[in-house]
Amino acid sequence: MGINIDFAKRFAADLAVKQVLKYIEKSPEENFLHILDIAEKLVKRDNHKQAVQAMRENYEANPVIKQYIKKLSDIAPAYRDGLLMNFFVNAVILGIPYQYELSEELGTAVPWTILIDPTSACNLNCNGCWAGKYNKKDTLEFEVVDRVIVEAKKLGIYFIVLSGGEPTLYPYLFDIFRKHDDVGFMMYTNGTLIDDEFADKILEVGNVTPAISLEGFKNQTDQRRGEGTFAKIMDAMDRLSARGIIFGASVTATRDNVDTLFGDEFIDLMIEKGAIYMWSFHYIPIGRNPDFNLMLKPEQRYNLADRVTDLRNNKPLFVMDFWNDGTFSQGCIAGGRRYFHINAKGEAEPCAFAHFSVDNVKEKSLKEILHNPLFKAYQKRQPFSANLMCPCPIIDNPQALRDIVEESSALPTHEGVREIFAAENAERLDLISNEWHCISQKIHDKRMGIEKSREGNF
């Protein structure tokens, strides 16, 4: 299972860790409350204890959660011993308290995860790709990725996310997974290269979960990603499900596909295919051929906030909406606060969508990078708004990003990045963000328990 035993002993008794494993292996749905009992003893922070208690209450009240937990019975043993242990024990229960402790010592935030692009190479050419303007020839050497993860673990970071480009094209991908078997990995992938051999190798390592990108059903996915892509994705999901591999879907919501992506038919298809989670990104006008007309309308985003809540209560699929979940994350998590992005050139960017940098991991250690002026400029402004439904400095608080870049003297990491600051684009973002601030306040107040009547509703 690859657990760093020395690290674990600092925070929890071996007996407790082994008991959790036993419960997971035997019957997770029958033993879930026992697992929560152990988790409540292991967690150190008050908000984590409250989260465990909330999970207990929800589990007893909501039958959908019991259906979701039952899915763990179908997960391969390698994933129960590998990914789940790495994620919940190393990355969450043990890692997070250590990160907060270390952040006080270092005088800067220590993130929970790092998003790394091992390569910018990709076998597709999707219109509107957020990474579409990076040089496709950029690839990080094995030694660089390896060193970054070694340094990350010393900071208590045991969850690493990979993107690109297309990470399945990285020649040292499984070398990284095997060497760092105490780390939980998630990999954003287009899924088209996951054949039987590749799926077998994923099962063998047991510590990586693919998050497969798609735009909806066949017509929408193939229109953006190329003819035949949807069929390849469906085949890849079947291969992963048959092997008991934990995987999910990754979707980008636009004003054209949002109703499809969050409709019952598509959600039920993802559940049928065996997806455990679905990550939702809102379209951001960056990368290849940015199009402001694809951005969600404020009323669509408002409706999406309610729809995701409804899905969580009624469908056995965990859905995360990174923008509309700002009330749960206490605003933006980027800029090193809880995560940052390393592109395939090694440049440390505050976010996958904010393509500016002042440092490169090929030249500096992670500790040095965490102190850089770009991240400091981010963190001193977080949250960017008291309305936590407006977490993003790109689409929700665009003036914040302009100020951050100017203050830190950050440079764009590829051609065309500064177009988002152009007068016409800046004006459009300001109008969109101002409208969203107004209509989203009611959601914020309701979620935060603020008793105050607001005008305007969709």
Side-chain angles (χ1 to χ4, degrees):
M1 60 187 161
I3 298 172
N4 186 329
I5 296 298
D6 290 337
F7 182 68
K9 283 183 177 178
R10 295 170 53 195
F11 295 91
D14 283 342
L15 182 61
V17 175
K18 291 176 181 177
Q19 187 63 53
V20 169
L21 262 180
K22 185 185 299 183
Y23 282 141
I24 291 175
E25 291 172 356
K26 186 176 180 181
S27 177
E29 70 273 19
E30 292 180 6
N31 292 302
F32 186 68
L33 293 179
H34 295 307
I35 293 172
L36 290 182
D37 289 339
I38 295 174
E40 199 164 14
K41 295 176 183 177
L42 290 176
V43 295
K44 304 296 181 181
R45 297 176 61 82
D46 289 341
N47 59 327
H48 292 160
K49 292 183 182 295
Q50 293 168 5
V52 172
Q53 182 58 37
M55 289 176 65
R56 188 190 310 279
E57 294 171 358
N58 289 334
Y59 180 77
E60 293 174 339
N62 191 342
V64 171
I65 297 178
K66 296 179 182 180
Q67 294 177 38
Y68 187 84
I69 297 299
K70 196 175 188 303
K71 286 185 174 184
L72 294 178
S73 299
D74 299 324
I75 292 171
Y79 270 73
R80 291 196 293 266
D81 296 354
L83 182 67
L84 291 181
M85 280 299 294
N86 292 346
F87 181 83
F88 287 109
V89 177
N90 289 357
V92 177
I93 295 174
L94 306 181
I96 292 177
Y98 183 68
Q99 291 155 16
Y100 279 104
E101 176 186 317
L102 194 59
S103 69
E104 296 180 4
E105 177 184 327
L106 296 178
T108 188
V110 175
W112 178 65
T113 187
I114 303 173
L115 172 63
I116 304 174
D117 298 346
T119 180
S120 284
C122 188
N123 61 318
L124 301 183
N125 191 36
C126 307
N127 189 45
C129 174
W130 65 269
K133 294 298 287 287
Y134 289 128
N135 187 337
K136 284 195 172 185
K137 295 182 180 180
D138 290 329
T139 294
L140 293 174
E141 297 85 355
F142 169 85
E143 292 76 16
V144 174
V145 178
D146 177 49
R147 177 179 58 79
V148 167
I149 297 176
V150 168
E151 292 182 5
K153 289 192 287 188
K154 291 179 180 178
L155 296 171
I157 303 169
Y158 279 77
F159 186 64
I160 298 292
V161 182
L162 302 179
S163 186
E166 173 50 44
T168 59
L169 289 171
Y170 187 58
Y172 311 111
L173 186 65
F174 286 95
D175 296 325
I176 291 295
F177 295 155
R178 291 187 185 99
K179 180 169 182 181
H180 298 285
D181 61 359
D182 53 348
V183 171
F185 291 90
M186 186 179 76
M187 174 176 66
Y188 289 111
T189 172
N190 59 45
T192 61
L193 301 177
I194 301 178
D195 56 16
D196 284 325
E197 180 182 359
F198 199 95
D200 286 341
K201 293 170 72 173
I202 292 176
L203 178 61
E204 176 196 345
V205 293
N207 64 338
V208 56
T209 171
I212 302 177
S213 302
L214 67 171
E215 315 304 319
F217 295 109
K218 181 181 185 300
N219 289 343
Q220 290 158 313
T221 298
D222 286 1
Q223 182 179 14
R224 185 183 184 203
R225 297 180 174 270
E227 188 67 29
T229 300
F230 182 77
K232 291 179 180 179
I233 290 173
M234 294 297 100
D235 288 345
M237 288 185 171
D238 288 342
R239 292 187 183 100
L240 297 171
S241 181
R243 289 165 172 79
I245 293 170
I246 297 174
F247 73 93
S250 173
V251 301
T252 297
T254 72
R255 67 180 58 179
D256 297 332
N257 72 355
V258 63
D259 291 337
T260 297
L261 290 176
F262 294 90
D264 284 340
E265 187 178 359
F266 182 77
I267 295 296
D268 288 343
L269 175 63
M270 293 298 98
I271 295 170
E272 177 189 335
K273 286 293 178 179
I276 299 295
Y277 57 85
M278 186 173 92
W279 300 153
S280 167
F281 297 89
H282 296 190
Y283 176 78
I284 306 291
I286 61 164
R288 182 184 295 117
N289 302 325
D291 185 352
F292 281 78
N293 292 320
L294 289 177
M295 294 181 66
L296 290 176
K297 298 176 182 178
E299 59 267 29
Q300 289 178 312
R301 187 170 169 183
Y302 187 100
N303 292 333
L304 183 58
D306 283 339
R307 176 57 177 162
V308 169
T309 299
D310 179 65
L311 289 174
R312 288 171 181 161
N313 290 330
N314 293 286
K315 299 286 186 179
L317 178 73
F318 180 69
V319 181
M320 173 71 79
D321 181 346
F322 288 101
W323 278 258
N324 281 350
D325 281 336
T327 49
F328 306 120
S329 63
Q330 297 299 298
C332 171
I333 65 172
R337 178 186 159 223
R338 298 309 287 151
Y339 112 99
F340 71 95
H341 178 225
I342 299 172
N343 66 29
K345 284 193 292 187
E347 295 163 320
E349 300 174 334
C351 171
F353 303 99
H355 298 174
F356 294 91
S357 181
V358 297
D359 279 330
N360 194 302
V361 296
K362 296 181 180 180
E363 301 165 356
K364 294 186 178 181
S365 69
L366 285 188
K367 281 187 179 181
E368 291 174 306
I369 284 172
L370 292 180
H371 285 88
N372 80 61
L374 177 56
F375 289 3
K376 287 187 175 180
Y378 250 76
Q379 291 171 28
K380 77 177 186 181
R381 291 172 169 83
Q382 289 169 321
F384 295 108
S385 171
N387 178 354
L388 296 177
M389 291 298 298
C390 304
C392 182
I394 304 175
I395 63 171
D396 297 331
N397 308 279
Q399 186 58 48
L401 182 62
R402 299 166 202 153
D403 293 342
I404 287 168
V405 170
E406 181 178 2
E407 177 182 312
S408 63
S409 300
L411 298 176
T413 53
H414 61 72
E415 182 182 355
V417 175
R418 290 191 181 276
E419 285 299 310
I420 203 168
F421 293 161
E424 181 180 355
N425 292 338
E427 183 178 352
R428 293 182 74 175
L429 282 176
D430 287 342
L431 288 172
I432 293 169
S433 64
N434 287 339
E435 184 175 1
W436 176 242
H437 270 264
C438 291
I439 72 171
S440 65
Q441 189 68 52
K442 184 175 182 179
I443 307 174
H444 170 271
D445 291 352
K446 180 180 179 180
R447 289 185 178 179
M448 304 303 289
I450 299 173
E451 297 296 330
K452 187 175 183 179
S453 62
R454 300 277 183 181
E455 293 183 358
N457 193 0
F458 285 93

